[in-house]
Amino acid sequence: ETGVTQSPTHLIKTRGQQVTLRCSSQSGHNTVSWYQQALGQGPQFIFQYYREEENGRGNFPPRFSGLQFPNYSSELNVNALELDDSALYLCASSSPGQNYEQYFGPGTRLTVT
Amino acid sequence: AQSVTQLGSHVSVSEGALVLLRCNYSSSVPPYLFWYVQYPNQGLQLLLKYTTGATLVKGINGFEAEFKKSETSFHLTKPSAHMSDAAEYFCAVTIAGGTSYGKLTFGQGTILTVHP
């Protein structure tokens, strides 16, 4: 059974640029959630995708957007990057009917300079 | 809305000693509660969960937690610490339905240090 994978591992961007982060869900899982973990903090919920539709969103501005594909993989897009967007971005997947039990990938470390 | 408070951002124990990491939650409806562990530069690994039923739940690596509704607590314990337990631990909450279903709310984390 393949776990949740994320790419890239690390990324450095300049303020104002755009970035796309990718996530492949665990086999059999159809729901993907994204979290932002700033240094020294707990993860914060960005949004969740189920059946290619956004299914809940946290307190993040519209420049944070996402997609889910038919194979349940997902992308997180962030436009107009700000210095405060520097963080570890975590993707989690969950199985049908149990989207509260989430399994996390290793994360993408984004640094905005 | 749900919230989680982890008491103590740093906990230090000796190898072989009891580990106790504290978590209190706030929820207006019955919660689902989780403990995750995070090793440096890695993602989160699920240690254990409480949804319904038995209030004492056992997880991986010898950890367990007890759901106490009257105290709104879900403290994590391990009878004997091992060096490999050194990591950061996060308590999280969600609920069984409504708009917050499946959205995990995390505490700030507790860094566990284990001394030889």
Side-chain angles (χ1 to χ4, degrees), chain A residues 38-58:
Chain A
L39 200 61
Q41 311 259 335
Q44 297 219 333
F45 175 76
I46 303 175
F47 42 55
Q48 184 179 86
Y49 276 83
Y50 171 65
R51 291 186 176 178
E52 303 176 54
E53 299 276 337
E54 187 178 289
N55 181 43
R57 186 178 185 95

Side-chain angles (χ1 to χ4, degrees), chain A residues 5-18:
Chain A
T5 60
Q6 293 185 242
S7 63
T9 305
H10 295 88
L11 204 52
I12 300 174
K13 289 286 189 178
T14 303
R15 191 171 50 185
Q17 286 187 316
Q18 178 266 343

